[in-house]
Amino acid sequence: MEKPTVALVYQAVQALYHDPDPAGKERASVWLGELQRSMYAWEMADQLLQLKQDVESCYFAAQTMKMKIQMSFFELPPETHIALRDSLLSHIQSLKDLSPIIVTQLALAIADLALQMASWKGCVHTLIEKYSNDVSSMTFLIEILTVLPEEVHSRSLRIGANRRTEIIEDLAYYSSTVVTLLMTCVEKSGSNEKMLIKVFRCLGSWFNLGVLDSNFMANNQLLMVLFQVLQRDETSTNLHEAASDCVCSALYAIENVDTHMPLALQLFQGVLTLETAYHMAVAREDLDKVLNYCRIFTELCETFLETTVRSPGQGMGDLRTLELLLICAGHPQYEVVEISFNFWYRLGENLYKTNDPALHGIFRPYIQRLLHGLARHCQLDPDHEGIPEDTDDFGEFRMRVSDLVKDVIFLVGSMECFSQLYSTLKEGNPPWEVTEAVLFIMAAIAKSVDPENNPTLTEVLEQVVLLPETVHIAVRYTSIELVGEMSEVVDRNPRFLDPVLNYLMKGLREKTLASVAAKAIHNICSVCRDHMAQHFQGLLDIARALDSFALTTEAAVGLLKGTALVLARLPLEKIAECLSDLCAVQVMALKKLLSQDPRNGKAADPTVWLDRLAVIFRHTNPIVENGQTHPCQKVIQEIWPVLSETLNTHQADNRIVERCCRCLRFAVRCVGKGSASLLQPLVTQMVSVYQVYPHSCFLYLGSILVDEYGMEEGCRQGLLDMLQALCMPTFQLLEQTNGLRNHPDTVDDLFRLATRFVQRSPITLLSSGIIVHIIQCAIAATTLDHRDANCSVMKFVRDLIHTGVSNDHEDDFDLRKQLIGQAMGQHGQQLVTQLMHTCCFCLPPYTLPDVAEVLWEIMVFDRPTFCRWLESALKGLPKETSGGAVTVTHKQLTDFHKQVTR
């Protein structure tokens, strides 16, 4: 791009915000994006801020400045840094009254500059000295001091650990000065609400960084102000939220309670004083404040969790903290109790690990009261019509309750709780919404109750299947869910199988209950496979008439899964015929779709039928002895032509091709070596379609074929030809600009395929010409920041090198070692250099263990050479940032080298 004039940039910003034509807006947006990436952006942004024409142009300029400093600071020569700093400080001062969002963007720019500009020593001190005596500068000074600690751990800055440590030490040194400044602000501004909100936000930011001195803070007046604001009934919503956020940050900062004793005690006592204020907020029906108090109480409990478990009832293990949460659980709005769920999970986990019955006894009454409250919160409205909704907010809340109950039930005892719940139904005559909620909680814990000789469970099952059809539909819905969860009981008591199936069949025939009944039948089939064999004909009848029931896609597939699981338990001689019957409906449907004239050039969507076939193949896994023909082989051979034609018809549609490949994958897995006759035609078709439409699922399907047939001598050359034919279009795709980033699925599936080859037939791959290109592609792809793709690449490189390390007493070990030695001789240095660069500059921390595994294998393969490669890679790393900070010292490099190689 050529250097634009300021007038032109201003015109583009105007178009971005005000052009009535969307195409004009889009053009302006693209052009401004290009400007922001260019070197001219620095000067243009600076000039727009000086001109101060309007909010929009100043906001664009401030945002551009922030972005350039974050992403492109290296573009500026070091001698310009001081001028940039002075210019930004002058802009923020002159624009402070124009708009708060501009002040925030400029504050971020200044903070990001301070973090990267090593020559700006003691920036906090400089800023406070320069602006603290001028009341009008206070707003932007506090804004800078708020965002500065927040930016220290920003991923986009990549300032390096040395610089970050230096900054954190610097901020810790000046933290008391900042807190004193904030207190002075509060004293000067009196009850100015906007200023108080800014002060609390700033204080919270410093708490979050973890640099405030806890002795200094424990005796600080600011803490008193914070709790006074939270205790006052007339505090506004915004101020209340800011104060609550700040207290939560403070509690989070002292999580390691023992090292922050004085402050921990002040916060502990301060929060306990808020109970009255909570009740006041409840009385005033001020839900925002109620939620804030509940957040504070939960954070208090989380912070003192270990203390509470270690010394319950003593000192800061005071159980009044749990009382506060149970008071919140009593609030009529379910959103309030939901805030505390994470704490109850953690408490349950902690107590489960300590496994001390006496300790469990102390906490049991609290969990009982919690469960009681949760059961009440799960009740639907008395005037609710129809079944319980799963997908709305309340439905999601009930699912979270179900998960929580499963996690803490061990403290109360599943059987005891189940019996108590059942007795409330048996002895009373509660309204329908109470019955439904009790059944819902019973369904959550049914699986954790021991089904052996359990009269209560059998009685519950007996009673539930006798429920009349006149009860509320939601009660019937949840009772069907409960029956599905009790499939273990049915398995131990087969006499219930018929009444249970009759009950579920009634549900299956009703529109609103069909899907939940299908899910319950699927559960019964999964657990009672042997008992269900006698009912196979009934299941087959259901499967044939599947579309006459009002089922969701998921429920229909679940029913077929259940049917396939039972099918696999039939005598071998019956399986082929029954499988053919089960597949016939789907095959007929696919044939019918293929025979139709494609309307307006588009063939009808076959995915429903492909998914159903896939689930049948996936779960029909009979036990076949060696030498016996697989009963499913014949059926799959008969179905292949239909699948092949479907694949051809829809070859341009990635979604449908993916479903075809998935279906074929499970068919191949189902019969294993029995699918040999499909190998030739399947590979031929995959390769020919892939040349035109490179869908990555073909690479995945190829990896399945290599896994099944790679050990077969007669198949290896054919599979290698397949790999080479698939690699050519793949490399073309990945070599495009941003090809790796734009096609992570292709990278993932390509290296799954290559890894399968390494595992099944390493010599075939290592002796071929294609291996050099695959290794080069892997080295390039190590920089890819995509979880699955990166994992596949690292696994391929690791497994490849490992084949030359693991002497598994196979005859070909020496040849493997020699071939890996040649590959490493060619690519080793480049690989190690790239991996070090990738770790420092491209990958998120969670990928590093995979990189470590690769480096470990290289070192085990050839330690002396690896030591040289690593030294060379480390020497090539940049030692200083563009802002003049030392990223790594010589000693750190030699220490690292020693640690890795020793």
Side-chain angles (χ1 to χ4, degrees):
M1 122 181 285
E2 287 179 18
K3 184 177 178 180
T5 61
V6 183
L8 184 62
V9 178
Y10 180 71
Q11 211 179 324
V13 174
Q14 287 303 302
L16 179 68
Y17 285 101
H18 303 295
D19 193 328
D21 174 20
K25 271 185 173 11
E26 181 57 29
R27 277 196 304 278
S29 172
V30 170
W31 189 83
L32 288 169
E34 206 180 314
L35 169 71
Q36 284 182 320
R37 286 188 293 277
S38 76
M39 275 293 287
Y40 306 122
W42 296 102
E43 191 185 333
M44 293 299 126
D46 190 49
Q47 289 185 18
L48 281 174
L49 290 167
Q50 265 169 4
L51 287 171
K52 214 160 76 169
Q53 275 174 295
D54 52 31
V55 171
E56 285 121 347
S57 62
C58 288
Y59 176 71
F60 169 76
Q63 192 198 27
T64 302
M65 269 300 186
K66 179 203 72 177
M67 219 170 86
K68 292 300 280 183
I69 290 170
Q70 271 186 355
M71 304 296 185
S72 315
F73 188 55
F74 59 86
E75 291 177 353
L76 293 180
E79 60 273 15
T80 59
H81 294 173
I82 290 174
L84 174 64
R85 177 193 69 189
D86 296 346
S87 153
L88 285 171
L89 289 171
S90 118
H91 289 320
I92 200 167
Q93 190 157 23
S94 72
L95 295 165
K96 63 179 181 286
D97 302 322
L98 188 58
S99 157
I101 56 171
I102 294 172
V103 171
T104 301
Q105 292 298 313
L106 287 171
L108 281 164
I110 291 162
D112 290 340
L113 176 66
L115 296 176
Q116 295 180 89
M117 185 175 156
S119 58
W120 186 0
K121 304 283 182 205
C123 64
V124 171
H125 180 65
T126 328
L127 291 167
I128 290 177
E129 214 168 40
K130 185 167 181 178
Y131 298 113
S132 61
N133 295 324
D134 172 18
V135 178
S136 67
S137 304
M138 230 30 180
T139 48
F140 73 78
L141 173 61
I142 291 182
E143 189 64 33
I144 298 172
L145 293 175
T146 303
V147 297
L148 186 64
E150 291 170 352
E151 289 295 287
V152 171
H153 291 288
S154 160
R155 284 280 298 156
S156 48
L157 285 184
R158 308 200 83 105
I159 52 178
N162 286 351
R163 175 66 180 151
R164 192 169 283 113
T165 308
E166 186 188 332
I167 288 161
I168 291 172
E169 284 170 2
D170 196 47
L171 295 184
Y173 183 75
Y174 290 111
S175 60
S176 316
T177 317
V178 173
V179 176
T180 308
L181 170 79
L182 294 178
M183 193 56 223
T184 312
C185 259
V186 173
E187 285 162 355
K188 279 186 183 166
S189 63
S191 54
N192 176 340
E193 185 182 304
K194 277 188 176 167
M195 186 47 93
L196 268 180
I197 290 174
K198 281 183 179 300
V199 166
F200 291 158
R201 265 194 58 221
C202 185
L203 182 61
S205 172
W206 285 75
F207 267 127
N208 285 335
L209 189 61
V211 292
L212 294 179
D213 179 273
S214 45
N215 290 328
F216 177 74
M217 282 314 298
N219 304 309
N220 195 280
Q221 206 57 35
L222 208 47
L223 215 54
M224 308 261 289
V225 175
L226 203 51
F227 283 110
Q228 280 165 3
V229 165
L230 288 169
Q231 284 157 355
R232 270 208 307 272
D233 182 36
E234 59 277 9
T235 299
S236 74
T237 306
N238 290 344
L239 180 57
H240 198 275
E241 186 172 5
S244 301
D245 288 343
C246 186
V247 171
C248 288
S249 296
L251 286 164
Y252 186 75
I254 58 152
E255 192 121 50
N256 194 350
V257 175
D258 299 338
T259 57
H260 297 286
M261 251 342 176
L263 179 58
L265 192 61
Q266 289 296 335
L267 288 169
F268 186 86
Q269 290 167 343
V271 175
L272 287 182
T273 63
L274 299 178
E275 188 184 334
T276 318
Y278 168 83
H279 289 300
M280 198 64 188
V282 173
R284 292 201 186 281
E285 296 186 1
D286 189 338
L287 186 60
D288 289 331
K289 284 188 182 175
V290 167
L291 290 167
N292 285 336
Y293 289 124
C294 187
R295 277 195 301 135
I296 294 172
F297 298 156
T298 303
E299 202 63 67
L300 176 77
C301 288
E302 296 242 23
T303 294
F304 291 97
L305 173 63
E306 284 177 18
T307 317
T308 312
V309 172
R310 198 169 55 223
S311 49
Q314 296 163 31
M316 286 188 273
D318 192 327
L319 293 171
R320 277 186 300 166
T321 55
L322 297 191
E323 288 290 347
L324 288 174
L325 283 197
L326 289 173
I327 291 171
C328 292
H331 191 279
Q333 298 279 8
Y334 70 84
E335 294 90 345
V336 179
V337 69
E338 195 170 14
I339 290 172
S340 65
F341 277 15
N342 191 52
F343 165 73
W344 294 112
Y345 276 124
R346 283 186 58 204
L347 177 65
E349 195 178 29
N350 238 292
L351 292 170
Y352 188 75
K353 282 179 187 160
T354 47
N355 194 15
D356 171 353
L359 196 59
H360 290 187
I362 293 173
F363 289 96
R364 183 171 296 121
Y366 293 94
I367 300 295
Q368 279 169 330
R369 285 163 60 194
L370 174 70
L371 291 176
H372 189 78
L374 291 175
R376 203 178 57 254
H377 278 298
C378 283
Q379 289 172 19
L380 297 161
D381 284 336
D383 54 1
H384 177 92
E385 290 177 4
I387 61 171
E389 284 295 330
D390 280 349
T391 48
D392 62 2
D393 288 347
F394 185 54
E396 283 179 11
F397 166 74
R398 286 184 18 136
M399 292 322 294
R400 289 193 67 197
V401 168
S402 176
D403 290 340
L404 178 58
V405 169
K406 289 183 176 95
D407 277 6
V408 297
I409 194 66
F410 73 92
L411 283 163
V412 180
S414 316
M415 188 57 227
E416 192 184 324
C417 185
F418 197 83
S419 303
Q420 275 177 359
L421 289 164
Y422 178 49
S423 65
T424 59
L425 298 182
K426 198 164 122 181
E427 286 153 22
N429 184 14
W432 76 263
E433 69 276 10
V434 175
T435 303
E436 190 278 335
V438 169
L439 290 171
F440 177 76
I441 301 288
M442 285 169 76
I445 57 179
K447 274 190 178 151
S448 58
V449 181
D450 182 8
E452 263 325 317
N453 313 325
N454 196 322
T456 309
L457 285 178
T458 49
E459 191 185 328
V460 167
L461 203 50
E462 249 169 332
Q463 292 304 312
V464 167
V465 298
L466 292 175
L467 273 174
E469 290 180 31
T470 51
V471 297
H472 193 290
I473 191 89
V475 174
R476 289 181 63 202
Y477 180 94
T478 305
S479 70
I480 290 172
E481 276 194 309
L482 174 59
V483 170
E485 291 297 307
M486 292 178 76
S487 42
E488 294 276 356
V489 185
V490 179
D491 193 43
R492 305 287 161 91
N493 304 276
R495 68 180 189 281
F496 286 121
L497 193 56
D498 285 357
V500 162
L501 288 174
N502 289 335
Y503 183 65
L504 296 178
M505 280 308 297
K506 274 185 207 161
L508 194 63
R509 291 190 193 99
E510 283 190 45
K511 192 174 175 186
T512 46
L513 300 176
S515 290
V516 74
K519 191 179 169 193
I521 293 172
H522 162 208
N523 276 358
I524 302 271
C525 289
S526 304
V527 176
C528 317
R529 288 168 77 171
D530 294 321
H531 297 307
M532 282 298 292
Q534 59 185 349
H535 292 278
F536 183 74
Q537 194 51 51
L539 289 170
L540 194 56
D541 293 341
I542 294 173
R544 282 185 180 137
L546 209 51
D547 291 311
S548 66
F549 303 108
L551 296 173
T552 61
T553 313
E554 191 187 352
V557 166
L559 254 180
L560 288 174
K561 176 184 170 182
T563 309
L565 289 169
V566 176
L567 167 64
R569 291 296 167 92
L570 298 182
L572 274 189
E573 63 278 5
K574 285 194 170 174
I575 289 181
E577 183 193 345
C578 293
L579 178 66
S580 188
D581 285 349
L582 187 56
C583 295
V585 180
Q586 344 304 326
V587 175
M588 290 305 295
L590 286 172
K591 283 181 174 167
K592 189 176 167 193
L593 290 183
L594 290 167
S595 67
Q596 285 171 3
D597 275 346
R599 286 177 295 270
N600 60 39
K602 197 164 185 245
D605 187 349
T607 50
V608 170
W609 313 105
L610 291 169
D611 287 352
R612 289 180 184 181
L613 277 177
V615 82
I616 294 168
F617 294 146
R618 184 178 191 172
H619 297 285
T620 306
N621 39 20
I623 296 155
V624 183
E625 301 295 328
N626 270 344
Q628 287 180 307
T629 305
H630 198 291
C632 306
Q633 192 174 321
K634 181 167 162 289
V635 182
I636 285 171
Q637 279 166 353
E638 287 165 3
I639 292 175
W640 158 248
V642 182
L643 292 176
S644 172
E645 201 183 331
T646 304
L647 180 55
N648 256 342
T649 306
H650 297 279
Q651 56 182 285
D653 187 324
N654 183 56
R655 189 177 62 92
I656 296 175
V657 171
E658 215 161 64
R659 301 303 235 291
C660 276
C661 285
R662 189 169 171 272
C663 187
L664 287 162
R665 161 190 161 196
F666 289 125
V668 170
R669 286 291 196 210
C670 172
V671 292
K673 306 279 185 291
S675 58
S677 61
L678 301 185
L679 197 54
Q680 184 69 49
L682 174 56
V683 168
T684 308
Q685 185 172 4
M686 280 164 58
V687 168
S688 94
V689 175
Y690 192 77
Q691 305 297 324
V692 191
Y693 301 107
H695 304 298
S696 74
C697 51
F698 286 127
L699 300 171
Y700 188 87
L701 186 53
S703 74
I704 302 294
L705 296 176
V706 172
D707 196 37
E708 291 290 344
Y709 293 100
M711 310 282 275
E712 304 286 308
E713 194 53 58
C715 299
R716 285 175 169 171
Q717 187 54 45
L719 289 170
L720 181 65
D721 293 344
M722 171 193 79
L723 173 69
Q724 289 176 319
L726 293 173
C727 274
M728 288 313 150
T730 305
F731 292 152
Q732 281 170 4
L733 186 70
L734 299 180
E735 280 163 7
Q736 294 169 3
T737 312
N738 291 329
L740 293 165
R741 183 163 295 285
N742 294 342
H743 304 283
D745 295 350
T746 302
V747 176
D748 183 12
D749 292 332
L750 171 69
F751 287 102
R752 274 175 197 268
L753 170 56
T755 303
R756 287 287 192 212
F757 240 111
V758 168
Q759 292 163 346
R760 293 285 174 262
S761 183
I763 299 288
T764 313
L765 180 63
L766 286 163
S767 314
S768 71
I770 196 79
I771 185 65
V772 176
H773 303 289
I774 294 177
I775 292 174
Q776 284 292 356
C777 183
I779 291 173
T782 54
T783 58
L784 191 56
D785 173 8
H786 181 282
R787 191 182 285 263
D788 295 339
N790 195 280
C791 187
S792 285
V793 172
M794 295 301 172
K795 183 164 173 42
F796 162 71
V797 182
R798 193 201 86 81
D799 286 8
L800 182 74
I801 299 164
H802 190 69
T803 51
V805 171
S806 65
N807 188 353
D808 40 21
H809 306 294
E810 296 279 336
D811 304 339
D812 61 2
F813 175 66
D814 290 336
L815 178 54
R816 286 201 320 251
K817 191 167 182 183
Q818 182 196 335
L819 290 167
I820 294 291
Q822 287 169 5
M824 290 309 289
Q826 246 179 312
H827 309 285
Q829 178 68 73
Q830 188 193 357
L831 174 62
V832 173
T833 302
Q834 179 82 318
L835 287 175
M836 292 316 299
H837 182 271
T838 295
C839 288
C840 292
F841 304 110
C842 309
L843 295 184
Y846 66 77
T847 58
L848 299 187
D850 292 343
V851 180
E853 295 247 348
V854 174
L855 293 170
W856 170 259
E857 290 296 339
I858 302 173
M859 184 162 71
V860 174
F861 182 73
D862 182 350
R863 186 180 289 264
T865 311
F866 171 71
C867 292
R868 287 202 306 279
W869 287 340
L870 182 62
E871 186 182 345
S872 165
L874 293 174
K875 279 180 178 166
L877 291 173
K879 311 294 183 290
E880 247 189 33
T881 63
S882 46
V886 175
T887 45
V888 63
T889 64
H890 181 68
K891 183 177 184 315
Q892 284 175 318
L893 287 177
T894 49
D895 287 352
F896 177 77
H897 190 279
K898 268 184 207 154
Q899 277 183 302
V900 173
T901 55
R902 73 169 177 221

